[in-house]
Amino acid sequence: MIRLADRTTSTTTPWVGEQHLAPAQPQHQNQNQNQDQAPERHTLSTEEDLLAVRHAVRAATVRAGFGLIDQTRIVTAASELARNAYIHGGGGHLTIEYLGCKGGSGLRLTISDAGPGIPDVEAALADGFTTGAGLGHGLGGARRLMHDFSVHSEVGKGTTVTATRWTAQ
């Protein structure tokens, strides 16, 4: 679902709240032990920060009880979104939140920058869209790797991307 607001471009997929998840058997023991863990905030201002973010997200996926394939999906999405904030937004921040739900757990990644913003979010989410030398799979690819995904961008003010993945979906 695409929602366009006045002078603000955003795209939102419906959030899957805790009460909307179908009951499922936990894939790992003690999955919910991290739901009370404080959010982690990471700065994205250097190339080294991008590597540190990948390691932090990887560690968070392990703590949250994700299997290897989902760990890879989340780290890949986080890496792409962090790189976008660094390159296109001039740097920014990543917040990792641990979520709990009946039968599983999740991670919510929020990446924000104060860059130029994305004038046309819908176009930016389309495969093949690029503002650089890349293949144009970044933002749309990150969206496909996560269960819940939203982009809020204001031209001249920056962009915030929120992406969530659940262990039980």
Side-chain angles (χ1 to χ4, degrees), residues 10-89:
S10 90
T11 184
T12 305
T13 55
W15 285 97
V16 178
E18 295 175 15
Q19 67 277 11
H20 295 108
L21 288 175
Q25 295 299 317
Q27 297 172 349
H28 300 86
Q29 293 180 346
N30 301 322
Q31 285 189 45
N32 294 323
Q33 69 187 11
N34 292 310
Q35 73 187 40
D36 294 328
Q37 187 165 337
E40 301 173 19
R41 186 174 165 113
H42 301 273
T43 300
L44 302 166
S45 59
T46 67
E47 287 279 337
E48 290 78 19
D49 291 339
L50 298 177
L51 182 59
V53 160
R54 286 182 61 89
H55 289 294
V57 171
R58 168 84 162 83
T61 63
V62 171
R63 279 193 298 274
F66 285 95
L68 184 59
I69 292 172
D70 280 340
Q71 290 174 27
T72 304
R73 287 178 177 133
I74 296 166
V75 171
T76 301
S79 181
E80 179 59 37
L81 297 172
R83 182 162 288 286
N84 282 352
Y86 173 68
I87 291 173
H88 303 294

Side-chain angles (χ1 to χ4, degrees), residues 90 130 133:
T130 183

Side-chain angles (χ1 to χ4, degrees), residues 12 14 34 47 53 62 76 90 93 97 99 102 120 124 126 141 163 166-167:
T12 305
N34 292 310
E47 287 279 337
V53 160
V62 171
T76 301
H93 293 92
E97 296 174 86
L99 309 173
K102 193 172 197 172
D120 186 348
W166 300 95
T167 58

Side-chain angles (χ1 to χ4, degrees), residues 110-135:
T110 304
I111 298 92
S112 59
D113 65 59
I118 303 170
D120 186 348
V121 172
E122 187 173 358
L125 287 166
D127 282 342
F129 178 87
T130 183
T131 58
L135 297 174

Side-chain angles (χ1 to χ4, degrees), residues 3 9-13 118 121 125 139 149-153 159-162:
R3 295 183 188 139
T9 305
S10 90
T11 184
T12 305
T13 55
I118 303 170
V121 172
L125 287 166
L139 202 54
F149 191 90
S150 69
V151 176
H152 176 77
S153 191
T159 301
T160 298
V161 177
T162 304

